[in-house]
Amino acid sequence: MLKDKFVAVGVTGSIAAYKSIQLVRLLKKAGARVQVIMTKSACEFIKPLTFQVISQNPVITDMFEHPVSWEVAHVALADKADVFLVAPATANIIAKMAAGIADDMLTSTLLATKATIVTVPAMNVKMYENAITQRNIKCLRKNGIEVLEPGEGDLACGYSGKGRFPELDDIVAHIKIILGKNSDFKYKKILITAGPTREPIDPVRFITNHSSGKMGYALAEKAIQRGANTILISGPTNLKPPLGLYKYIPIETAEEMFKAVMEHYLDADVIIKSAAVADFSVKHQETEKIKKQGFNMNIELKKNPDILQELGNRKKQQVLIGFAAETTRVVSNAQDKLKRKNLDFIVVNDLAQEGAGFAGDTNIVKILHKDGWVEELPKMLKVDLANEILDRVYSYLPQNRAL
Ligand code: CTP
């Protein structure tokens, strides 16, 4: 997503400037080309040479530059940038940006760029909460400039509260989302289900499975990055919903997942059912905790609705993708599900293989297409597999189908 994209990073005079060094490293690692532009006070905290080494690009500052060369450099940077980060952003730069002041290299470049600007505030909590700063932030947002929410906690100034530089991974994820907005799933609505479902027995016990939700969350993350309006319907997991979701719907039971899916499937372009839905739930759920004394040791189960089957029955324009986890007759079982549930393709885990399945970060799958084509994919990270799956989904979208 970030590969070969040009990210301009404006660094201003906050103690959090040192965190931008790591931020630039992460952007470079993700394949971006980065050029840093520093204000005079930023140079009091960090030497430009540090950013030059990390970004592998000359750093633009106000110091020691011949006017003609910096004039050219800043206009070029304004034009080249795919996205323009101001990180960290002090109350001062936010005020200047809101007022349209251009009295140094950074503010002049910001006024000249057409790239999306993302401002990452980092300052003392009182400065952040000051009504004037808040008014300026509102003004930036009104003018299409993004301002990320700062984190909360201990601040370098000794105070505690809102004003911390946000988590670096969140900033990088946000940039990926912005860049993804121009890409292949723009204007598409993707519905993804993830995680296990949890079927209560009594107020303290439940039936569930080993699904971690990692595959579904990776799919949601990548779908967002590729520009899709993404709805994630998820059973209980330990994962943080990815930034940039159109909607996040947490559910517990298969019945609740069924309802949520049925509410949202109609205008979806793509539905990916990566959730491990419990096939059974308890017929007579106890309202009080079951005591071992006197319990007859039998729990009567009933079948849950098969959500994917129902979607297959109702399917119209939607590209419909299922998952299957098998331990025997892997291909033939999955082929049967593919046909029975009217899917475009099904992604099959062979649970017997090392590196495949629920909890890990990798997966080994086969993809069975409705025309009989069987693809065997090598072991790969779930985040990479998510992109592979979305590449295939893309080719099934109505406008991309071969005639
Ligand atoms: N699925 C679903 N609703 C269910 C059960 C499964 O939507 N009640 C979906 C899963 O999200 C997955 C696919 O169906 O995409 C296959 O799930 P799996 O449990 O492997 O298959 P089942 O149809 O339950 O068949 P079996 O239990 O015979 O393996």
Side-chain angles (χ1 to χ4, degrees):
M1 187 56 49
L2 272 165
K3 195 153 175 8
D4 297 327
K5 296 290 182 188
F6 199 97
V7 184
V9 182
V11 181
T12 71
S14 152
I15 180 68
Y18 78 93
K19 293 192 179 171
S20 283
I21 300 169
Q22 182 63 9
L23 180 62
V24 170
R25 277 195 65 206
L26 288 176
L27 293 169
K28 288 289 294 175
K29 217 170 124 198
R33 290 177 295 148
V34 181
Q35 185 156 20
V36 174
I37 175 165
M38 299 175 75
T39 62
K40 212 167 168 191
S41 38
C43 298
E44 303 284 335
F45 287 92
I46 310 281
K47 280 212 166 74
L49 184 62
T50 309
F51 280 111
Q52 184 174 316
V53 173
I54 303 290
S55 67
Q56 295 164 342
N57 250 330
V59 173
I60 303 174
T61 66
D62 288 307
M63 305 186 308
F64 316 122
E65 295 276 5
H66 186 272
V68 176
S69 77
W70 63 247
E71 193 55 41
V72 172
H74 98 88
V75 171
L77 183 59
D79 286 346
K80 264 192 298 189
D82 292 299
V83 62
F84 207 126
L85 257 178
V86 185
T90 55
N92 186 47
I93 187 91
I94 289 171
K96 283 196 198 177
M97 287 164 76
I101 291 172
D103 65 348
D104 63 4
M105 285 293 291
L106 178 58
T107 45
S108 309
T109 316
L110 284 166
L111 268 190
T113 191
K114 285 211 158 60
T116 305
I117 301 173
V118 181
T119 314
V120 187
M123 65 192 76
N124 163 280
V125 57
K126 292 189 176 165
M127 290 172 86
Y128 179 74
E129 285 172 355
N130 184 294
I132 298 172
T133 305
Q134 287 303 314
R135 181 202 63 191
N136 291 337
I137 288 175
K138 243 192 219 148
C139 169
L140 293 187
R141 288 187 172 141
K142 223 171 111 196
N143 285 283
I145 294 178
E146 299 207 16
V147 184
L148 299 191
E149 286 296 317
E152 277 187 53
D154 293 336
L155 302 171
C157 54
Y159 282 93
S160 183
K162 214 165 176 180
R164 279 172 68 87
F165 201 66
E167 295 296 324
L168 298 179
D169 286 343
D170 288 346
I171 301 173
V172 175
H174 192 81
I175 293 168
K176 286 182 180 172
I177 293 166
I178 289 170
L179 294 171
K181 290 264 190 295
N182 308 318
S183 74
D184 50 356
F185 282 94
K186 197 173 178 183
Y187 305 126
K188 298 291 172 218
K189 179 171 166 186
I190 302 193
L191 181 62
I192 297 171
T193 68
T197 64
R198 197 180 260 184
E199 311 298 334
I201 299 170
D202 67 12
V204 293
R205 304 179 180 94
F206 50 80
I207 300 171
T208 190
N209 57 61
H210 286 298
S211 172
S212 63
K214 282 183 182 171
M215 192 64 242
Y217 278 60
L219 279 161
E221 183 188 324
K222 295 297 166 192
I224 295 164
Q225 287 171 10
R226 292 171 72 155
N229 286 339
T230 309
I231 298 182
L232 178 62
I233 300 175
S234 173
T237 73
N238 291 322
L239 305 173
K240 197 167 107 182
L243 280 178
L245 281 171
Y246 175 69
K247 218 176 214 171
Y248 175 67
I249 307 175
I251 55 88
E252 292 234 337
T253 64
E255 195 65 53
E256 286 167 8
M257 182 174 276
F258 182 83
K259 279 201 190 114
V261 169
M262 291 308 146
E263 244 170 63
H264 293 93
Y265 86 96
L266 209 56
D267 62 342
D269 299 285
V270 179
I271 305 168
I272 307 181
K273 281 240 64 227
S274 56
V277 185
D279 287 320
F280 307 101
S281 54
V282 176
K283 199 164 181 181
H284 305 289
Q285 209 191 105
E286 298 295 334
T287 49
E288 303 293 340
K289 185 182 169 194
I290 298 170
K291 294 287 177 196
K292 45 183 182 291
Q293 242 165 19
F295 182 54
N296 67 9
M297 296 297 166
N298 289 316
I299 294 176
E300 206 181 336
L301 299 176
K302 66 174 188 313
K303 250 190 173 170
N304 279 335
D306 189 324
I307 307 167
L308 192 55
Q309 182 68 63
E310 191 58 34
L311 289 169
N313 298 344
R314 300 184 187 194
K315 180 175 176 212
K316 290 212 163 67
Q317 82 289 351
Q318 301 92 346
V319 178
L320 188 57
I321 314 302
F323 271 71
E326 304 289 350
T327 52
T328 53
R329 300 177 54 238
V330 175
V331 172
S332 60
N333 275 341
Q335 243 147 7
D336 177 51
K337 282 177 199 172
L338 172 77
K339 281 207 187 82
R340 193 162 26 96
K341 301 193 182 189
N342 192 20
L343 310 178
D344 290 288
F345 64 81
I346 189 161
V347 183
V348 195
N349 297 303
D350 177 353
L351 291 182
Q353 280 183 289
E354 181 135 348
F358 291 127
D361 290 325
T362 61
N363 219 346
I364 309 169
V365 303
K366 292 186 177 59
I367 297 184
L368 279 52
H369 295 260
K370 62 181 173 191
D371 64 0
W373 180 31
V374 177
E375 289 186 88
E376 275 192 48
L377 270 54
K379 176 170 160 180
M380 64 177 85
L381 288 172
K382 286 179 177 169
V383 281
D384 294 332
L385 178 58
N387 263 331
E388 292 288 334
I389 291 169
L390 290 172
D391 287 347
R392 283 149 186 82
V393 168
Y394 184 75
S395 68
Y396 279 93
L397 290 171
Q399 76 269 22
N400 304 326
R401 279 178 203 153
L403 294 173

